[in-house]
Amino acid sequence: AQRVTQPEKLLSVFKGAPVELKCNYSYSGSPELFWYVQYSRQRLQLLLRHISRESIKGFTADLNKGETSFHLKKPFAQEEDSAMYYCALKGSWDSGYALNFGKGTSLLVTP
Amino acid sequence: DVKVTQSSRYLVKRTGEKVFLECVQDMDHENMFWYRQDPGLGLRLIYFSYDVKMKEKGDIPEGYSVSREKKERFSLILESASTNQTSMYLCASSSTSLPRWTDTQYFGPGTRLTVL
């Protein structure tokens, strides 16, 4: 079964502090994982994908197959990072490659 | 620029009404999806379509149906709206012909449906 778990509903950090949003997954095949972000009153948008090994807005995420994790990290949080973050696992062809989303983590960065 | 549009941002309907939510994408994408987004539950897949006139059930299809008569348009239908269908509905599209490192789903702005 495909499952994505985000254990924290809410994460509050101070500006300038490091932040880590946790994501664990279960998948029998080779996973393709994504982080999506939704800022207030904006549409859901892709933040980064593991296959690209990219860093977007200072965020990085490393796929750890041994721990089945794909945690999102940023060394110095900014107030504009406050948003809802979703970890997502791409499904197989028989699901139309639909995304399986975690329940989301609301990140609040306070001054 | 990639565009997925949804017919309404806000919609208020009464219990028992038939409700149509429309989604249009201009990227010639093969795949289209309907999700509902609820606080504490994340996004859950209702239906998806991988081609014109093709449709497949997602995780929570009960009470919903869909229609895809043209490649760019994917409609979600609530045959008889109920209060537990009050939610944010998100449409998305994706292509299966893009390289994996550029692959993503593009989302519409959402329709917040309230059923009274």
Side-chain angles (χ1 to χ4, degrees), chain A residues 9 31-32 34 36 38 41 43-44 46 49 51-52 86 90 94-104, chain B residues 3-4 9 31 33 35 37 40-43 45 48 59 90 94 96 100-105 107-109:
Chain A
K9 281 188 178 179
E32 288 190 44
F34 304 81
Y36 279 79
Q38 190 169 31
R41 301 179 194 278
R43 68 180 67 194
L44 196 64
L46 177 70
R49 52 173 77 83
I51 198 168
S52 304
Y86 292 96
K90 187 176 178 181
D94 57 352
S95 72
Y97 303 105
L99 293 171
N100 293 287
F101 286 88
K103 294 183 178 181
Chain B
K3 277 290 187 291
V4 180
R9 289 302 303 271
N31 305 317
F33 310 86
Y35 298 89
Q37 182 182 28
L41 296 178
L43 280 78
L45 181 66
F48 66 94
D59 299 319
L90 300 182
S94 71
T96 47
R100 289 173 67 201
W101 55 88
T102 63
D103 179 26
T104 187
Q105 284 189 20
F107 284 83

Side-chain angles (χ1 to χ4, degrees), chain A residues 73-108:
Chain A
K73 300 177 184 179
K74 185 170 182 176
F76 307 103
Q78 303 299 314
E79 289 180 68
E80 55 266 29
D81 296 329
S82 295
M84 194 74 180
Y85 291 80
Y86 292 96
C87 182
L89 171 67
K90 187 176 178 181
S92 56
W93 65 270
D94 57 352
S95 72
Y97 303 105
L99 293 171
N100 293 287
F101 286 88
K103 294 183 178 181
T105 297
S106 179
L107 175 63
L108 179 64

Side-chain angles (χ1 to χ4, degrees), chain B residues 80-100:
Chain B
S80 178
S82 63
T83 55
N84 62 12
Q85 292 178 308
T86 292
S87 185
M88 173 70 88
Y89 290 88
L90 300 182
C91 175
S93 71
S94 71
S95 172
T96 47
S97 57
L98 291 175
R100 289 173 67 201

Side-chain angles (χ1 to χ4, degrees), chain B residues 47-102:
Chain B
Y47 266 95
F48 66 94
S49 168
Y50 54 87
D51 201 351
V52 176
K53 296 193 184 294
M54 305 305 289
K55 57 187 179 185
E56 297 289 342
K57 294 179 180 179
D59 299 319
I60 51 165
E62 296 78 17
Y64 304 95
S65 62
V66 290
S67 172
R68 192 165 181 203
E69 296 297 316
K70 294 185 178 182
K71 190 175 185 180
E72 66 271 18
R73 189 179 297 270
F74 193 35
S75 302
L76 180 68
I77 303 152
L78 286 68
E79 296 290 343
S80 178
S82 63
T83 55
N84 62 12
Q85 292 178 308
T86 292
S87 185
M88 173 70 88
Y89 290 88
L90 300 182
C91 175
S93 71
S94 71
S95 172
T96 47
S97 57
L98 291 175
R100 289 173 67 201
W101 55 88
T102 63

Side-chain angles (χ1 to χ4, degrees), chain A residues 43-55:
Chain A
R43 68 180 67 194
L44 196 64
Q45 59 186 288
L46 177 70
L47 182 61
L48 54 80
R49 52 173 77 83
H50 92 268
I51 198 168
S52 304
R53 293 185 167 272
E54 56 208 336
S55 173

Side-chain angles (χ1 to χ4, degrees), chain B residues 4-9 22-24 34 89-91 108-111:
Chain B
V4 180
T5 57
Q6 295 183 228
S7 50
S8 306
R9 289 302 303 271
E22 304 285 334
C23 174
V24 178
W34 276 105
Y89 290 88
L90 300 182
C91 175
T111 296

